[in-house]
């Protein structure tokens, strides 16, 4: 499409011209070009240049009848209307020219007369623009404007005032230009259509009919009337079809070339308009009709290459139109329309389809051109005859340029001269590179669509073109990718052709390894004997020839000659003859996914899946080849993962080779009567094998030596899991099994397991009771040699979570956290009690949080070695302890295999001491806490303490273990910074006088007094520290000898608030029946406000009371109000005092003392007590300021 001129490739753009006031031309041109649609501007500096638009002068005599047209479309007609003939001419006059002296006015009139005389013959529209400023816009007289309009014979709307300072003036001027231009193109179109309707031309002149239709369509495009343009382009196209076989104006070849060239332009216009309107289906249908109309118009045999070139260009241009059309991209998935003749396929809407066919027809052109070039005259004569040929005046015509004195003339060409010119032009271009470019576009487009088969087809065509021009480096990757696809899908004949090209590429480059691989694969392909005759595709069979059994044998013989060293490979690149020699050996690798499995397939099966060390077992080696000729193997080397088991199989029918390095080292060598492989027949070899190393014994590969310096390494495969040969599994062949034993063929494996020797070393793990969080738990490990000496012993320790959650906490990954592991291995102590820091570097190898590796010293038979594992629990978690001992029973480490002993022990990690706490308010003293009134039940809000009041903190330590514990001390450590003041705590670190023995389930309590005097809303109670240890059953241990463990727990923070009211009950500790006693209720107001309270005292059956039962009182700020009652007890025992209830009006809250605070014991008579000294050291005070 880039070969087309720009005026044909792009839609027509309106052209106008401006003359006068040259300083405004740039502004006008820039604005008009930015309009939608844009308008191009032709600026003339002065009125003297207006003569450029003058038409040919009319002759005074009547015109003679017009001669028959010499062509269909003039070559420069579109360009003339795009660049030289404007639709509107705007004459710009300044305000001074119209309102100045008479001479200037006369000059203006002269210019207008000149414009009228020149523009009217061409029907070009005239627009007068008067340029004014804001200052003189009112100075211009209406009479002068009226005179100007009459002089120009224009309507008033086409005489425009242009104010340079008015921003809207440019838009108004642009609208006037667009209106006049549209009027011009409409009038021109009507004028040409009138000729068509009245048939003013000779009815036999089809050329004029086509030309007029083309002009009307172009004028319609100028007006953006796409429907009319499409209709007249279609009329011109169908009229052009009538010229074929009827026009005799030009010689036959040139006449057909002109018709096709014009049809190409008309087709391009129609396709562009259809795609521009989003009509993809109509555009595809139109192209199909266009192709059907002209595909068979081949022309003269000597010019057939011109037809294929033209047809290739049609597909290329339409592909580029589809590629660039946004409408095609949007509608391509929903293209389901159909024509009356044939439904549209999806591929016809894809650009890749047309790029592919463009390359196909260009290859046809290349073949025809080579034939025409071979049949033409000498190259020099062709080149000389084409020097003076150039395009003629009409589209699709060429003529010879002749020099006649000082003038030049065009002379028509004969068909013979035109053919020589076309051949000379064709020699200037390399069709192969253009074909590659087209195929690459199709290849990339199909790749985007994920259509692998079409991708491979286009890639193959592209690779063949690279191969044809000698670009083997570019062709080889394409051929390899296509070969992989054909292998997967089983296209044997196509794969044969691709491999033939790859074989030749390797030959050209002199790469012996690649050449042999491709040759062997071709020789092993499943080509049946029925294709021995000449292939139906004999022209496209590639350099390897047709796929046949005979050709396979030829290739196999060539490979045998190279392998034996009798022949070499001629390299075109290096101009040398390569051979396989001792200095240049060759080794091929065949793995389970290699395409060379057809050449050699090795199946290995052990007869037993489990064997004892040094016990003999049988192994069967089976080989299969699909090569057409018999293959003679000189020797086989069977390799295992244990190199001591490797052995070599020699061919008894071949002379023995020189001793190899393995033979000199004493490796095992076996001899087979024959190592001959026939086509599709298994060669089975069975030998015994034994191993002294425990573990997995696997056959890894089989190396076949087929020549003095050529080997093939084939990876061993198990019969049970061996895949079929993909290209041979559908062939009509006798199915054979690699093993004679059906059970072995079904379950055979290329690996077996060699059992470990029975260990004669005992490994014991001992642990006393469960492990507790915080303590260092000791696990004794004993290694006792009972029958083996221990050499190079290693003890591996692993800690594994029983539940599988892991010993590491992901939420505790800070480097400073010492207990980021819930359970960790602290260390390993030796037999005498020394830790790992005291042992030599050869003894301790590595200790981590959950892993340890320790060297075990040499032990004779009967000796014992022990160590102790120190494990610490930071969280309660069950742990599985794995201990593995690996040792060698012999002193020679290089040959002896290690024996392993494994032991495991599950250890429960539990919490020994559970710490809890409880806070009590003072006895018979109840504060009103506002937070308790507003609190939500079952919420997680912290507890609240009254400010400056004594509270009781009770800390409990419970033995939750299964063994007795010694409680050594319990203390409370304060965080002074958190409280906000100093703290004094008498006896806070004092240990117990005697360690408390706690049996399982027993609880120990300690009481602290808390007085919160600090002016802070939060109070940190501190951390409870409980030191304890296990109780020894065998001996009495003091607190100094018990291994202590410190368990800490931080108490939660409590809120501190000032209670507005505090109610205290004051009564004797006991009462006597019949003796009255005083019962005081003290209400203290701790606020700065007057408090109104309501109280009530309920009657009690066991007491007679005097005093106010209910009332409302006012308590002054910072003062105390006392209620006095007299009570006489009537019954003995524990009696409930009258219940007192207080309600605060200000806080709308009521509260009453607890039941325990309202209880008193009544004696029947006066008791007698003995007073004794009691030292209570169990109470400690906590003061928080």
């Amino acid at each position: 499409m880039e070969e087309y001129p720009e005026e044909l490739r792009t839609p027509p753009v309106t052209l106008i011209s401006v003359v006068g006031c040259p300083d405004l031309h740039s502004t006008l041109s820039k604005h008009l070009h930015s309009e939608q649609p844009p308008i191009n501007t032709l600026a003339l500096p002065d009125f003297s240049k207006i003569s450029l638009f003058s038409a040919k002068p009319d002759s005074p005599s009547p015109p003679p009848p017009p001669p028959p047209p010499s062509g269909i479309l003039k070559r420069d007609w579109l360009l003339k209307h795009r660049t030289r003939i404007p639709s509107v001419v705007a004459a710009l006059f300044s305000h001074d020219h119209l309102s100045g002296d008479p001479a200037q006015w006369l000059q203006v009139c002269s210019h207008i007369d000149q414009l009228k005389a020149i523009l009217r013959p061409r029907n070009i529209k005239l627009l007068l623009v008067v340029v004014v400023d804001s200052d003189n816009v009112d100075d211009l007289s209406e009479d002068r404007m009226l005179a100007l309009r009459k002089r120009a014979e224009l309507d008033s709307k086409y005489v425009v005032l242009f104010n340079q300072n008015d921003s809207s003036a440019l838009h108004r001027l642009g609208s006037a230009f667009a209106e006049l231009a549209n009027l011009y193109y409409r009038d021109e179109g009507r004028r040409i259509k009138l000729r068509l309707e009245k048939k003013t031309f000779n009815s036999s002149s089809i050329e004029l009919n086509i030309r007029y239709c083309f002009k009307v369509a172009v004028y319609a495009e100028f007006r953006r009337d796409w429907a009319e343009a499409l209709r007249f382009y279609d009329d011109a196209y169908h009229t052009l079809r009538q010229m074929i076989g009827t026009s005799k104006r030009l010689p036959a070849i040139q006449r057909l070339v002109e018709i096709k060239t014009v049809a190409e332009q008309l087709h391009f216009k129609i396709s562009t308009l259809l795609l521009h309107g989003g009509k993809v289906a109509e555009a595809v249908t139109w192209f199909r009709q266009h192709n059907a109309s002209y595909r068979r118009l081949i022309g003269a045999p000597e010019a057939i290459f011109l037809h294929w070139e033209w047809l290739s260009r049609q597909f290329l241009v339409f592909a580029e139109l589809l590629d660039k059309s946004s409408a095609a991209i949007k509608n391509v998935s929903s293209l389901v329309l159909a024509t009356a003749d044939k439904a549209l396929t999806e591929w016809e809407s894809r650009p890749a389809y047309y790029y592919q066919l463009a390359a196909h027809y260009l290859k046809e052109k290349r073949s025809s051109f080579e034939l025409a070039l071979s049949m033409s005259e000498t190259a020099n004569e062709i080149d000389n005859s084409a020097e003076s040929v150039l395009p003629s005046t009409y589209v699709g015509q060429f003529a010879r340029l002749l020099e006649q004195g000082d003038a030049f003339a065009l002379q028509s060409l004969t068909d013979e001269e035109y053919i020589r010119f076309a051949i000379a032009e064709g020699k200037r271009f390399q069709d192969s590179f253009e074909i590659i470019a087209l195929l690459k576009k199709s290849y990339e487009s199909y790749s985007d669509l994920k259509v692998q088969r079409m991708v491979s087809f286009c890639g193959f065509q592209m690779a063949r073109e690279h191969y044809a021009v000698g670009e083997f480096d570019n062709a080889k990757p394409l051929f390899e990718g296509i070969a992989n696809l054909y292998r997967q899908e089983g296209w044997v004949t196509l794969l044969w052709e691709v491999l033939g090209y790859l074989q030749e590429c390797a030959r050209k480059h002199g790469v012996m390894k690649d050449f042999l691989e491709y040759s062997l694969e071709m020789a092993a392909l499943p080509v049946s004997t029925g294709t021995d005759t000449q292939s139906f595709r004999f022209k496209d069979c590639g350099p390897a020839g047709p796929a046949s059994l005979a050709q396979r044998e030829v290739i196999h013989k060539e490979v045998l000659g190279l392998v034996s060293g009798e022949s070499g490979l001629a390299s075109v690149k290096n101009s040398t003859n390569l051979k396989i020699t001792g200095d240049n050996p060759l080794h091929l690798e065949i793995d389970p996914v290699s395409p060379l499995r057809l050449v050699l397939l090795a199946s290995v099966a052990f007869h037993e899946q489990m064997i004892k060390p040094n016990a003999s077992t049988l192994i069967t080696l089976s080989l299969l080849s699909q090569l057409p000729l018999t293959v003679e193997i000189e020797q086989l080397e069977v390799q295992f993962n244990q190199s001591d088991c490797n052995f070599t199989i020699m061919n008894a029918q071949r002379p023995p080779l020189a001793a190899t390095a393995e033979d000199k080292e004493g490796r095992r060598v076996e001899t087979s009567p024959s190592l001959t492989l026939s086509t599709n027949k298994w060669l089975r070899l069975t030998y015994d094998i034994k191993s002294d190393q425990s573990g997995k014994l696997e056959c890894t590969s089989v190396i076949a030596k087929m020549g003095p310096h050529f080997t093939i390494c084939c990876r061993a495969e198990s019969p049970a899991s061996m895949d079929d040969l993909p290209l041979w599994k559908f062939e009509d062949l006798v199915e054979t099994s690699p093993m004679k034993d059906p059970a072995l063929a079904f379950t055979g494996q290329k690996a077996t397991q060699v059992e470990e020797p029975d260990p004669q070393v005992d490994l014991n793990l001992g642990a006393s009771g469960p492990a507790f969080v915080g303590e260092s738990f000791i696990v004794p490990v004993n290694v006792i040699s009972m029958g083996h000496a221990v050499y190079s012993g290693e003890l591996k320790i692993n800690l594994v979570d029983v539940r599988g959650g892991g010993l590491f906490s992901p939420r505790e990954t800070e480097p400073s956290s010492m207990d980021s592991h819930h359970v960790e291995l602290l260390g390993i102590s030796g037999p005498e009690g020394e830790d790992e820091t005291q042992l030599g570097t050869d003894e301790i190898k590595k200790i981590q949080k959950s892993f340890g590796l320790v060297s075990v010293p040499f032990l004779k038979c009967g000796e014992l070695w022990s160590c102790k594992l120190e494990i610490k629990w930071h969280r309660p978690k069950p742990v599985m302890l794995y201990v593995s001992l690996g040792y060698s029973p012999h002193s020679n480490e290089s040959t002896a295999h290690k024996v392993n002993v494994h032991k495991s022990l599950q250890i429960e990690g539990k919490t020994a001491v559970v710490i809890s706490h409880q806070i009590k308010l003072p006895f018979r003293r109840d504060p009103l806490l506002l937070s308790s009134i507003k609190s939500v039940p079952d919420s997680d809000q912290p507890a609240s303490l009254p400010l400056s009041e004594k509270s009781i903190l009770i800390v409990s330590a419970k033995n939750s273990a299964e063994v007795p514990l010694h409680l050594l001390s319990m203390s409370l450590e304060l965080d002074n910074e958190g409280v906000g003041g100093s703290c004094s705590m008498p006896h806070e670190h004092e240990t117990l006088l005697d360690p408390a023995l706690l049996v399982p389930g027993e609880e120990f309590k300690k009481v602290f007094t808390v007085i919160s005097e600090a002016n802070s809303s939060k109070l940190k109670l501190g951390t409870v520290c409980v030191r304890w240890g296990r109780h020894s059953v065998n001996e009495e241990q003091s607190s100094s000898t018990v291994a202590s463990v410190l368990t800490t727990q931080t108490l939660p923070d409590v809120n501190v608030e000032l209670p507005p009211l505090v109610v205290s009950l004051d009564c004797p500790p006991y009462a006597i029946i019949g003796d009255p006693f005083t019962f005081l209720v003290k209400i203290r107001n701790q606020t700065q406000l007057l408090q109104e309270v309501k109280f009530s005292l309920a009657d009690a059956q066991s007491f007679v009371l005097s005093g106010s039962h209910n009332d409302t009182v006012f308590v002054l700020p910072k003062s105390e109000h006392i209620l006095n009652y007299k009570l006489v007890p009537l019954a003995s025992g524990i009696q409930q005092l009258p219940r007192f209830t207080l309600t605060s009006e200000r806080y709308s809250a009521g509260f009453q003392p607890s039941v325990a605070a309202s209880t008193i014991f009544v004696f029947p008579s006066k008791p007698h007590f003995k007073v004794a000294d009691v030292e209570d050291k169990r109470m400690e005070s906590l003061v928080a300021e």
Side-chain angles (χ1 to χ4, degrees), residues 282-293:
E282 288 83 349
V284 173
T285 304
W286 172 261
F287 181 81
R288 180 192 289 178
Q289 296 173 358
H290 174 64
N291 181 37
S293 299

Side-chain angles (χ1 to χ4, degrees), residues 347 407 681 759 809 815:
W347 297 120
K681 290 184 179 180
S809 175

Side-chain angles (χ1 to χ4, degrees), residues 260-309:
K260 287 183 178 179
T261 305
V262 174
E264 180 178 353
Q265 290 194 6
L266 294 174
H267 162 68
F268 175 79
K269 283 291 187 179
I270 294 172
S271 299
T272 303
L273 290 175
L274 289 174
L275 292 174
H276 177 73
K279 301 177 181 179
V280 183
E282 288 83 349
V284 173
T285 304
W286 172 261
F287 181 81
R288 180 192 289 178
Q289 296 173 358
H290 174 64
N291 181 37
S293 299
Y294 288 91
R295 184 163 50 90
R296 299 184 181 277
L297 292 178
I298 297 176
E302 62 271 17
I304 191 173
F305 66 91
L306 295 175
H307 170 74
W308 298 125
E309 181 181 15

Side-chain angles (χ1 to χ4, degrees), residues 914-929:
V914 177
I915 301 174
S916 61
H917 74 285
Q918 187 178 7
I919 298 177
K920 298 284 189 179
L921 295 176
F923 187 64
R924 289 180 178 173
R925 187 173 178 86
D926 296 308
L928 175 61
L929 299 177

